[in-house]
Amino acid sequence: MLCLRPVCLFTLRRYQARTLSSDLLLSQINSCTHEDEVFSLVGRNKARLSEKHVGIALNMLWQLQKDRPYLLRTSDYIRNHSQFLTLCILAENKVEQMEDEAIVDTLYSSLRLNADNNSLAEVLVTEAWKRLERQVLLSLPALSKFALCLYKQHRHFSPVLGKVAHIVDMKLDSIQDIRVLSVLMISISDVISQSFQDRLLHRAGQLLEENELHFSYAKRILQFLQNVKLKYHPLLAKCNKIFLKSASRLDIHRINHIFGLYEQLGFDSADFCLVAKQVLSETIDDCNDPEAFAKLFFSLGPMAESKVRERLLLAAVHMAEEFSSHQVLVILKTMQKMKCRHSHLLKKMASVLHSHLPNYHVLQLVKLTQYLVALRCQDQELFAKLKMLLFGFLKSSVIPADTTAIIRALAMLPSVPVDEIIINKAAAVLPQCRLHHLNCIATALVKWNHYDQLHWQNSSELCVKLLQKLNDCGLQRLQKANNLNLLLEELINVNAEWFDEVIGEETMAVCQRLIDQITRANVLQLSLFLMKGSLRCASLLDRIAAVMVENIDKIYPFEIYFILFLFSALNYDPPASEELFDTCIQRITSNLSCFETPHLVLLGHVLAVAGYFPPVLITRIFNVSFLSKLDTQLEVLPDTVKQRVRWRLMKLNRAVCLECPEFHIPWFHERYCQHVFRKSNSRINPLRQHVHRMLTEILGGSSYARMSVLTPYYYEIDFECVLDENKIPLSYVAQNIPLDDVKGIHLKHDVKDQGRKALPAGAQRIALEFLDSKAFSKDSRHLKGETAVKKRHLEMLGYRVVQIPHFEWNSMVLSTEGEQVEYLRRHLYGIQ
């Protein structure tokens, strides 16, 4: 025993020395302030490096880079250093000895350093997966970091990410950190079910309210919504509030990113636009970098006033040569959004594009074609190059979506006739095409034929067969449809022409067949589809109404607006119409804070068309502070949105004045209406002239009927005449006020005194209106809401309204002028 004592003491001292040395080395690595210090330690201690040393060294290399400004980072130097390769090899060999969370940290650091050693990442991912399968419990922050690594490696549908999603599903209610949850949501967005997605959205909403607000967390939530292609207003509104409260942290790059996400999600926020406009306007003079300027142009251009807009355009012209291929796309896209055809800038962009064209992938070329055509570019040489590149991509394309996009782009280009390459390529992908892809191909062929660019003498037989095959594929796809959600996804981008002619009837039949699948989750998408096509199907509308009433507390108020718009616009009353509107109005009016200021105007108009005027909403809108705020916000919204909101505010004002005088709301749109009608291009068309001649014959002279009449409250009617109590026409003397002199009309909001010459006792004004197909629901003789409201309001103004539907006027029954005259006579005099 005594003999063994020196040996044991020697061994113990050696172990203690190694431990002390090891701890010292770990401390030295943690104390490094430069990557060369880390590499020096690695080089001197290769044989002594444990798995812990290796992991800490890689983490330290990333931490040193992270602490530096982006432009001062030296990732290339690190990746090319010999000791970095040594670290990667050591990490790969020691992975099994690493602690669970050390594996995740090492994987994260190596990926952030953009390591080219793919084998290290593979080994680390495999080992982490094994441990997850053995029920190893990573902390939630470590799990989120691991999930993010998998996502950054584009393993979006990997089984290991599915395993992570399963763990998140089990632990969701225990997650308290919105940072952790937001990272996990983005990472697992491609491997979650609908029910799991709903739970994630609900939990995120809870944590956004409970936790301290943070800009980055909200941005990640938007990224998740973009990944799952979901416009979920509750979260969008909460994230928007966070951005507004984080105004001091906003800069060009963050604003650009948020606007990009909002654009893809179809979300508008006037309040955020106002904040962003102020921040961006202060940075114009300092924005000399092409990348930053492109972001500034994209974000500020569409909402800039004329002087700022000119400065931006001039700066873009001077910077044109410096723009990258991506930045040129951004500038052109923004010009299209601004509807700006600045000839000098467009020529500059076209000139620069010649050298950038080879850098674009196929879908970028498609977008580029769309922008240039919309902006009316005249560079034929550029279009020729685009045509050549697109044809090259078409020949090698095997993805139906890409093939369809290329064909659509080729149809946009001037002087590009269809040929056998296009026809054969389209025919090859038809069986794999979704409905909107089939729609794109059909639209392209119709466009070629319309502009006489199609060489029918050479391709007629092929094209006829292609169109027939295309139609058959569309009908077959519909007949096989058994999932309403998937069907609505396919129909969202299908336009009216092909839909009406080929698949419209079958689509409605399929929707009715799948009527039991209409739920709270898809009722909005179905409503938008029916609204887009003006499709009045009683069974579907009744089902939508029933789902609405049953689930009203689960439907977000802003979504209720769109669904009510459907019933209002189509002028359809479901069996329990009052219950539907009363329930929806109660839900909406108790949540008015969910609506942006312009949206409240649109909501008020939709309800007014349906004949509902909730006092809380009307008094809120017709308030000086509200209208002042509205004016301010409209200045930063797109012109189309601005015009729509102002026009509907006028209509709402008119409806309240006529239908609800008890609110004592004044008519304040006189000047606005005068301005609009002065700018309008109302022309006396041949039909009106023809009808006016017949009215002259019926009434006894040209002074007995007025054409294109502007009524009080600025309704325009086709014809007006006056009959006395014995139905004898009265001649106009001083009442004929031409359209270009509306200043002569003096209107009051009291409908009993319209500022016009009083009629003799018993006399009545008659408004004769010709209604085209736009006044009716698709394939229906049912008046749409706006047309019905006009009739209602004209009657309140004292008119007897005679509406002449297009399907009666253009019918074979009225094939001669004599029959038309007799038809008008009966309607004017009320003869049955």
Side-chain angles (χ1 to χ4, degrees):
M1 289 290 293
L2 293 175
C3 295
L4 290 174
R5 186 181 178 192
V7 176
C8 291
L9 290 174
F10 174 78
T11 305
L12 180 60
R13 283 195 297 271
R14 186 176 179 184
Y15 176 79
Q16 290 174 338
R18 287 185 61 188
T19 303
L20 290 171
S21 175
S22 177
D23 290 343
L24 178 61
L25 181 55
L26 201 61
S27 176
Q28 288 174 331
I29 294 173
N30 280 322
S31 301
C32 291
T33 59
H34 194 276
E35 54 266 27
D36 284 339
E37 295 177 28
V38 178
F39 289 141
S40 178
L41 286 171
V42 170
R44 294 199 310 268
N45 298 279
K46 288 180 186 178
R48 298 166 50 201
L49 294 177
S50 68
E51 73 283 352
K52 184 175 289 188
H53 296 135
V54 171
I56 294 297
L58 285 169
N59 293 342
M60 179 54 67
L61 288 173
W62 161 241
Q63 193 62 47
L64 290 170
Q65 294 298 299
K66 180 183 175 183
D67 293 340
R68 293 176 181 168
Y70 184 79
L71 295 177
L72 297 180
R73 293 181 183 177
T74 55
S75 298
D76 289 341
Y77 171 72
I78 290 176
R79 286 196 304 272
N80 294 325
H81 201 287
S82 60
Q83 298 305 330
F84 182 71
L85 179 60
T86 299
L87 271 177
C88 290
I89 293 172
L90 287 171
E92 191 173 335
N93 293 334
K94 297 176 182 292
V95 67
E96 292 183 1
Q97 287 80 47
M98 288 184 180
E99 295 180 358
D100 300 330
E101 298 200 2
I103 291 176
V104 175
D105 290 337
T106 304
L107 174 62
Y108 182 80
S109 297
S110 65
L111 292 176
R112 294 308 301 261
L113 291 167
N114 298 317
D116 295 328
N117 192 333
N118 292 325
S119 62
L120 172 60
E122 290 291 337
V123 169
L124 289 167
V125 169
T126 301
E127 183 61 27
W129 190 0
K130 288 179 182 177
R131 298 192 187 191
L132 288 178
E133 292 291 347
R134 294 201 302 265
Q135 305 302 314
V136 170
L137 298 178
L138 290 174
S139 67
L140 287 170
L143 188 67
S144 70
K145 185 182 284 190
F146 180 52
L148 181 61
C149 291
L150 297 171
Y151 186 78
K152 293 294 185 182
Q153 289 180 291
H154 305 291
R155 300 174 185 260
H156 300 168
F157 302 97
S158 167
V160 64
L161 204 49
K163 179 65 178 178
V164 172
H166 176 71
I167 296 172
V168 176
D169 193 15
M170 297 296 101
K171 294 186 173 184
L172 182 58
D173 294 336
S174 65
I175 298 178
Q176 302 296 328
D177 190 338
I178 185 62
R179 180 187 64 82
V180 169
L181 180 62
S182 61
V183 171
L184 286 167
M185 288 172 70
I186 290 175
S187 303
I188 64 175
S189 57
D190 290 308
V191 291
I192 57 176
S193 65
Q194 180 65 52
S195 59
F196 187 18
Q197 175 181 298
D198 292 342
R199 292 182 60 224
L200 286 170
L201 294 171
H202 178 69
R203 188 62 181 148
Q206 290 179 321
L207 293 180
L208 281 176
E209 293 177 351
E210 297 169 2
N211 286 261
E212 182 182 353
L213 303 178
H214 196 284
F215 180 89
S216 298
Y217 308 158
K219 196 166 62 174
R220 289 196 201 108
I221 297 298
L222 290 188
Q223 183 67 57
F224 170 76
L225 293 176
Q226 181 194 34
N227 287 358
V228 297
K229 296 180 175 62
L230 180 66
K231 184 180 179 180
Y232 186 64
H233 277 95
L235 277 186
L236 281 167
K238 289 178 181 178
C239 291
N240 190 62
K241 288 180 181 179
I242 293 174
F243 296 145
L244 292 173
K245 291 181 179 180
S246 305
S248 60
R249 301 186 58 194
L250 293 175
D251 58 21
I252 291 175
H253 306 286
R254 285 175 171 159
I255 291 172
N256 176 263
H257 187 58
I258 294 170
F259 272 138
L261 290 169
Y262 278 177
E263 182 181 66
Q264 294 182 53
L265 291 167
F267 179 77
D268 292 317
S269 169
D271 285 331
F272 182 75
C273 286
L274 286 170
V275 172
K277 182 180 179 181
Q278 181 178 353
V279 173
L280 295 173
S281 298
E282 295 170 357
T283 63
I284 295 178
D285 294 332
D286 302 324
C287 195
N288 300 316
D289 172 62
E291 180 182 359
F293 179 82
K295 292 179 178 180
L296 175 69
F297 191 85
F298 171 80
S299 302
L300 182 58
M303 56 183 177
E305 58 271 13
S306 57
K307 290 184 179 179
V308 174
R309 178 173 168 149
E310 286 303 316
R311 288 178 62 192
L312 289 172
L313 293 170
L314 185 61
V317 171
H318 291 154
M319 211 176 289
E321 303 291 339
E322 303 175 47
F323 289 137
S324 67
S325 53
H326 172 71
Q327 289 155 11
V328 171
L329 268 182
V330 171
I331 299 295
L332 290 172
K333 175 183 178 179
T334 309
M335 289 177 68
Q336 183 193 19
K337 189 175 182 181
M338 295 164 62
K339 297 182 179 178
C340 168
R341 298 188 180 120
H342 191 280
S343 58
H344 191 26
L345 178 56
L346 187 56
K347 287 179 181 178
K348 274 280 191 180
M349 291 293 102
S351 176
V352 171
L353 274 171
H354 284 278
S355 60
H356 285 312
L357 283 182
N359 301 327
Y360 293 119
H361 61 66
V362 59
L363 294 182
Q364 288 178 319
L365 286 175
V366 169
K367 290 180 180 178
L368 179 60
T369 304
Q370 175 189 327
Y371 303 150
L372 292 173
V373 171
L375 294 170
R376 299 180 185 175
C377 177
Q378 300 298 317
D379 192 330
Q380 298 305 316
E381 183 183 351
L382 181 61
F383 281 134
K385 289 182 178 180
L386 269 173
K387 172 188 172 183
M388 181 181 67
L389 289 170
L390 288 170
F391 264 111
F393 279 114
L394 181 64
K395 291 175 183 177
S396 59
S397 176
V398 294
I399 302 173
D402 289 357
T403 301
T404 303
I406 296 169
I407 292 174
R408 186 179 74 236
L410 287 170
M412 295 178 191
L413 289 172
S415 304
V416 178
V418 71
D419 62 15
E420 290 191 19
I421 295 176
I422 295 174
I423 292 173
N424 293 337
K425 204 68 183 182
V429 299
L430 286 185
Q432 307 168 61
C433 283
R434 306 180 80 186
L435 291 175
H436 60 269
H437 296 149
L438 296 174
N439 174 70
C440 286
I441 296 174
T443 303
L445 290 173
V446 169
K447 185 173 182 179
W448 270 311
N449 185 37
H450 179 72
Y451 288 103
D452 201 26
Q453 294 177 352
L454 183 55
H455 298 173
W456 288 106
Q457 64 274 19
N458 298 326
S459 308
S460 175
E461 185 177 349
L462 289 173
C463 284
V464 169
K465 289 182 179 179
L466 176 61
L467 285 169
Q468 185 59 55
K469 184 178 179 181
L470 185 148
N471 295 344
D472 290 344
C473 285
L475 292 171
Q476 289 170 15
R477 192 167 184 86
L478 280 172
Q479 291 163 2
K480 294 177 182 178
N482 55 17
N483 185 306
L484 183 60
N485 292 334
L486 296 178
L487 177 62
L488 290 173
E489 281 183 23
E490 293 200 32
L491 290 170
I492 194 69
N493 292 316
V494 175
N495 69 13
E497 187 173 358
W498 184 67
F499 178 87
D500 291 343
E501 292 182 4
V502 181
I503 65 169
E505 186 176 340
E506 184 66 28
T507 299
M508 297 309 294
V510 173
C511 288
Q512 291 177 78
R513 172 165 57 84
L514 302 176
I515 196 169
D516 292 337
Q517 295 184 24
I518 300 176
T519 65
R520 173 185 66 83
N522 59 29
V523 67
L524 175 61
Q525 285 71 28
L526 178 59
S527 298
L528 292 174
F529 166 68
L530 295 176
M531 170 58 62
K532 179 183 176 183
S534 187
L535 301 167
R536 185 178 180 273
C537 176
S539 59
L540 293 177
L541 291 169
D542 292 347
R543 172 65 179 168
I544 289 172
V547 171
M548 284 284 291
V549 172
E550 184 179 348
N551 297 277
I552 191 65
D553 293 333
K554 301 174 185 176
I555 300 177
Y556 192 64
F558 193 69
E559 295 178 354
I560 295 174
Y561 155 73
F562 285 105
I563 300 170
L564 288 183
F565 193 4
L566 172 68
F567 291 93
S568 175
L570 294 182
N571 190 27
Y572 180 79
D573 293 325
S577 179
E578 287 192 13
E579 181 185 6
L580 169 66
F581 275 89
D582 289 346
T583 303
C584 290
I585 289 171
Q586 183 179 357
R587 168 85 166 137
I588 287 172
T589 52
S590 60
N591 291 276
L592 290 180
S593 60
C594 296
F595 291 85
E596 293 261 330
T597 304
H599 295 151
L600 285 175
V601 174
L602 301 180
L603 172 64
H605 171 256
V606 162
L607 292 175
V609 171
Y612 292 87
F613 300 87
V616 64
L617 178 60
I618 299 302
T619 54
R620 178 162 181 168
I621 292 174
F622 293 103
N623 176 282
V624 173
S625 60
F626 177 92
L627 294 173
S628 298
K629 184 178 180 181
L630 179 65
D631 279 338
T632 302
Q633 292 190 350
L634 288 180
E635 292 305 315
V636 296
L637 293 179
D639 287 341
T640 52
V641 176
K642 186 186 309 181
Q643 292 166 8
R644 181 166 68 249
V645 173
R646 284 179 172 164
W647 185 243
R648 290 185 183 174
L649 177 64
M650 182 277 290
K651 290 183 175 182
L652 177 59
N653 185 201
R654 178 169 60 195
V656 172
C657 289
L658 287 170
E659 301 191 54
C660 303
E662 66 274 15
F663 282 121
H664 303 291
I665 303 297
W667 168 249
F668 56 90
H669 278 86
E670 181 83 13
R671 291 184 180 177
Y672 171 75
C673 288
Q674 290 177 6
H675 175 71
V676 169
F677 279 100
R678 282 197 189 95
K679 291 179 65 177
S680 66
N681 295 317
S682 182
R683 295 288 182 268
I684 307 301
N685 60 43
L687 173 62
R688 282 185 174 181
Q689 292 175 331
H690 174 65
V691 173
H692 190 259
R693 285 195 300 270
M694 288 189 283
L695 289 175
T696 298
E697 177 185 338
I698 295 169
L699 298 172
S702 59
S703 63
Y704 291 92
R706 294 198 304 167
M707 183 165 47
S708 298
V709 177
L710 205 58
T711 74
Y713 295 104
Y714 288 84
Y715 273 119
E716 185 181 6
I717 55 178
D718 294 330
F719 301 95
E720 181 191 87
C721 64
V722 179
L723 300 181
D724 68 9
E725 59 182 340
N726 298 313
K727 294 188 177 182
I728 297 174
L730 297 179
S731 175
Y732 288 95
V733 181
Q735 300 183 50
N736 188 19
I737 304 174
L739 279 172
D740 59 354
D741 189 22
V742 295
K743 289 187 295 184
I745 302 179
H746 301 286
L747 303 179
K748 297 183 180 180
H749 64 271
D750 185 352
V751 299
K752 295 179 181 178
D753 180 8
Q754 297 302 331
R756 296 184 293 173
K757 184 177 180 180
L759 297 177
Q764 187 176 38
R765 295 183 190 274
I766 297 175
L768 185 67
E769 284 274 276
F770 279 77
L771 306 180
D772 61 16
S773 60
K774 294 179 182 178
F776 300 89
S777 305
K778 191 69 59 67
D779 298 328
S780 165
R781 298 189 174 186
H782 187 81
L783 283 179
K784 290 163 75 169
E786 291 279 6
T787 310
V789 166
K790 183 176 181 180
K791 180 180 180 183
R792 188 166 82 223
H793 287 176
L794 289 176
E795 289 173 345
M796 289 178 175
L797 290 170
Y799 284 95
R800 178 166 70 85
V801 182
V802 177
Q803 294 178 323
I804 308 297
H806 68 97
F807 47 81
E808 290 185 5
W809 186 255
N810 297 323
S811 66
M812 292 299 293
V813 176
L814 303 181
S815 57
T816 67
E817 184 171 327
E819 292 166 335
Q820 291 175 342
V821 168
E822 184 57 30
Y823 175 89
L824 288 175
R825 187 191 307 277
R826 289 199 311 271
H827 281 76
L828 283 174
Y829 291 107
I831 302 172
Q832 299 298 324

